[in-house]
Amino acid sequence: MSQPAVSLRGVHHAYLASKPVLDGIDLEVPRGTILGYLGANGAGKSTTIKILLGLLTPRAGEVRVLGLDPRTESLAIKRRVGYVPENALLYDQLTVAETLLLVGRIHGLTDAVVRDRGTAFLDALELSRETNARVATLSKGMRQKVLLSAALLHGPELLFLDEPLSGLDVNAQLLVKRLMRRLADGGRTIFYSSHVLGVVQEICDRVVILDAGRVAVEGTVEEVRNARAGGTLERIFADVTRPEGEEERVAALVAAIS
């Protein structure tokens, strides 16, 4: 059996000693898989990704990414992964071409390779007219396309995508979804975090739902749907993560503006 792309064993983390964000996460992500990593706000999704990238050190537990330990081999991991964070910062004064050139040089690519790959990405994403535009002038959707291009530029084995479809128009979303499927079918792994449950249900091979820092649900999409009444991933997610008293909270909100 091949080594998993991602492995977490007994991972704990807390920003405040009295309130763990991750409370004993156990998880394996097989290579060539699109994993939907779900949870309510504050469930620990972004913290998990930061730990896997070596941006945070967990309080306890064992972590492996492509067989490497993020605590001691984070630079080696960064060479082999791509990352699109939910709220990414770009250098507004650089042009699109300069942004890709900067990222490519960081990854040790030649300028010729960056230009060739960048041209292919921007053409496919219908962004080629903006090649020499400054990032500050781009719309949210255009900036997202630049981020996706930068994350793919070095041909990563593993992609961490946090709401990658945010701001994209329908056609661009369809293209990116097909791209993710093609990459996974070719052996690359995608760790996909999103609140758009319909997309997760559509494209993901496996699903994990976090609740209060623990894995509450894990399995293939079909396994998860068959194991719980309700059928849709949205209903299952709500059943697992929704706090008590929802109707009372809705009533209070309505009353506040009545």
Side-chain angles (χ1 to χ4, degrees), residues 196-211:
V196 185
L197 301 185
V199 175
V200 172
Q201 185 167 290
E202 177 186 352
I203 69 170
C204 290
D205 302 304
R206 299 187 64 80
V207 174
V208 166
I209 300 178
L210 291 186
D211 185 43

Side-chain angles (χ1 to χ4, degrees), residues 68-236:
L68 303 173
D69 186 341
R71 288 171 291 194
T72 57
E73 301 171 289
S74 64
L75 189 58
I77 290 171
K78 290 179 176 67
R79 293 190 182 103
R80 297 169 62 184
V81 306
Y83 178 35
V84 177
E86 183 176 9
N87 298 305
L89 296 176
L90 291 168
Y91 292 103
D92 282 347
Q93 297 310 308
L94 294 182
T95 66
V96 172
E98 290 167 344
T99 299
L100 296 183
L101 192 61
L102 172 64
V103 173
R105 287 177 176 176
I106 289 172
H107 283 288
L109 302 178
T110 66
D111 290 359
V113 168
V114 174
R115 282 191 291 269
D116 288 346
R117 293 184 182 180
T119 297
F121 293 152
L122 298 181
D123 284 348
L125 292 168
E126 299 183 322
L127 200 61
S128 55
R129 291 184 180 180
E130 309 299 331
T131 300
N132 296 313
R134 294 193 184 278
V135 169
T137 69
L138 301 181
S139 68
K140 177 176 174 57
M142 290 178 178
R143 292 168 72 96
Q144 195 70 3
K145 291 176 181 180
V146 175
L147 289 168
L148 286 163
S149 298
L152 289 165
L153 195 62
H154 58 297
E157 301 170 50
L158 171 60
L159 273 169
F160 292 97
L161 303 178
D162 195 348
E163 300 291 0
L165 304 183
S166 176
L168 297 182
D169 60 42
V170 173
N171 288 331
Q173 289 184 28
L174 290 171
L175 185 146
V176 172
K177 287 190 289 185
R178 292 190 185 112
L179 173 63
M180 287 194 288
R181 184 70 268 162
R182 186 72 64 85
L183 291 172
D185 290 344
R188 302 180 195 273
T189 308
I190 298 173
F191 197 103
Y192 179 74
S193 178
S194 176
H195 291 293
V196 185
L197 301 185
V199 175
V200 172
Q201 185 167 290
E202 177 186 352
I203 69 170
C204 290
D205 302 304
R206 299 187 64 80
V207 174
V208 166
I209 300 178
L210 291 186
D211 185 43
R214 297 183 178 183
V215 174
V217 175
E218 180 182 3
T220 68
V221 173
E222 286 306 310
E223 287 171 347
V224 169
R225 293 178 64 185
N226 291 337
R228 291 174 177 263
T232 68
L233 194 56
E234 183 178 63
R235 172 63 63 185
I236 295 165

Side-chain angles (χ1 to χ4, degrees), residues 231-251:
T232 68
L233 194 56
E234 183 178 63
R235 172 63 63 185
I236 295 165
F237 180 91
D239 289 344
V240 170
T241 65
R242 183 167 50 198
E244 298 293 331
E246 182 181 77
E247 185 59 40
E248 290 80 358
R249 288 183 288 118
V250 170

